[in-house]
Amino acid sequence: MNGAERRIRELEAIVAPHGSALVAFSGGVDSSLALAVAVRALSRERVLAVTSCNETYLPSELEKAREFAASLGVKHEVVETRELDDPNYASNPTNRCYFCKSTLYTELGRMARERGYGCVVDGANADDEGDWRPGRKAARELGVLSPLAEAGVGKDEVRRLARHLGLPTWDKPALACLSSRFPYGQRITPEKLSQVARSEEFLRSRGFRQVRVRHHGEVARLEVAEEEMERAFRMREEISSALREAGFAYVALDLSGYRSGSLNATLKRKKKSLPVLSG
């Protein structure tokens, strides 16, 4: 047994004792691996994949999630969670993700209990424990099982294991919830989310893989991977035109390129002034 297979067996051993599982499935590489592990540990008949579809989720991702679940032979359902109805979430405090995950995992926990599933599984990995992730607090409070984090599987190993299993998502670019595009304290609205979604969908349609459109009021701050920056600059007129059509007045290319969670850089600098709501 090679190292990858041994690690996968470790993950299966975390899930197997629960007998059945409802998996919070976004379609990204982390939740794809968690879903695949659950199927191996429990059989596809004992697993349900559930995707939360709302204004913060790119429309194009839903069909990809459906296709992946179907490839595993797993039943897949979609729930509509309405995080923006919660003023604690919409006001975009620094612990915004806590309220999002509380809403999601409360709903998934209810579904699991009503249908007799033994646990709710998510795709959080070990590296998520070290970053600013208020949603992890909600997961712990609501008893969500995080096999990747529990086994100490980080981002790089997630991709190696997903590739070992032949999962088509193994090299899929990271894709966080659209609310992560807004500086903390800037209110999130359906209209602003639509601006970001339209802009990012356009950029992906032009072949950009790792991209974020950060929303700074009238300014769109574009982050792309370092190897794609020259192409973005060459396409600046087309990109600027498309993002202005999406509702932005100005378009800026961030010279530092794509950084996961780049808006968290303000947390230490502005810790005293940024809003944090109790939760």
Side-chain angles (χ1 to χ4, degrees):
M1 184 186 302
N2 62 32
E5 193 62 31
R6 186 178 303 110
R7 288 295 268 163
I8 290 167
R9 294 286 179 85
E10 289 177 27
L11 294 170
E12 292 174 11
I14 294 172
V15 178
H18 297 272
S20 59
L22 185 156
V23 180
F25 179 55
S26 69
V29 61
D30 295 336
S31 63
S32 294
L33 178 59
L35 180 59
V37 165
V39 170
R40 284 172 58 107
L42 301 166
S43 82
R44 63 188 182 187
E45 293 81 10
R46 294 177 177 270
V47 176
L48 172 64
V50 179
T51 300
S52 172
C53 186
N54 52 45
E55 298 101 329
T56 71
Y57 189 68
L58 280 172
S60 61
E61 289 300 301
L62 182 56
E63 188 55 35
K64 295 175 186 176
R66 286 185 172 129
E67 291 173 357
F68 182 87
S71 74
L72 297 181
V74 175
K75 185 178 180 182
H76 179 242
E77 294 188 16
V78 178
V79 295
E80 184 179 355
T81 51
R82 301 191 57 82
E83 288 87 349
L84 290 182
D85 290 348
D86 181 357
N88 291 326
Y89 179 91
S91 63
N92 198 15
T94 58
N95 59 341
R96 175 198 68 239
C97 288
Y98 172 84
F99 300 103
C100 170
K101 296 302 186 184
S102 291
T103 298
L104 174 61
Y105 293 142
T106 296
E107 173 63 14
L108 298 189
R110 180 193 64 78
M111 290 178 65
R113 288 190 300 274
E114 290 180 355
R115 304 189 189 191
Y117 287 97
C119 64
V120 173
V121 172
D122 75 2
N125 66 60
D127 291 333
D128 292 332
E129 302 294 333
D131 196 4
W132 173 245
R133 304 272 181 163
R136 298 299 301 135
K137 177 185 176 185
R140 288 189 290 269
E141 289 176 351
L142 293 167
V144 173
L145 184 67
S146 304
L148 306 182
E150 186 173 330
V153 176
K155 294 176 182 177
D156 291 341
E157 190 175 12
V158 165
R159 294 191 182 278
R160 288 196 297 272
L161 296 181
R163 186 175 188 178
H164 174 77
L165 291 177
L167 305 184
T169 54
W170 76 268
D171 65 342
K172 185 176 182 178
L175 188 63
C177 142
L178 292 180
S179 293
S180 66
R181 314 306 196 259
F182 297 83
Y184 295 115
Q186 182 186 136
R187 188 168 187 81
I188 301 172
T189 67
E191 293 75 23
K192 292 177 181 178
L193 288 167
S194 177
Q195 284 181 273
V196 172
R198 285 181 57 190
S199 299
E200 293 195 3
E201 294 282 30
F202 164 78
L203 289 159
R204 289 189 176 87
S205 75
R206 293 300 186 270
F208 290 93
R209 281 176 50 81
Q210 193 66 79
V211 61
R212 296 287 186 272
V213 175
R214 309 291 186 184
H215 195 298
H216 296 270
E218 293 187 322
V219 178
R221 177 168 60 85
L222 173 60
E223 295 180 11
V224 297
E226 183 177 352
E227 61 272 17
E228 296 182 305
M229 289 187 71
E230 287 189 13
R231 186 159 67 92
F233 187 74
R234 289 196 303 270
M235 295 177 60
R236 61 189 182 276
E237 291 185 6
E238 182 183 1
I239 292 172
S240 293
S241 176
L243 270 59
R244 286 196 300 269
E245 286 184 11
F248 292 103
Y250 308 100
V251 180
L253 177 62
D254 191 321
L255 298 181
S256 296
Y258 164 74
R259 289 101 65 213
S260 176
S262 67
L263 291 171
N264 288 342
T266 64
L267 288 176
K268 291 182 179 179
R269 186 155 45 88
K270 298 182 178 180
K271 188 174 181 180
K272 293 183 180 180
S273 61
L274 285 168
V276 179
L277 301 181
S278 60

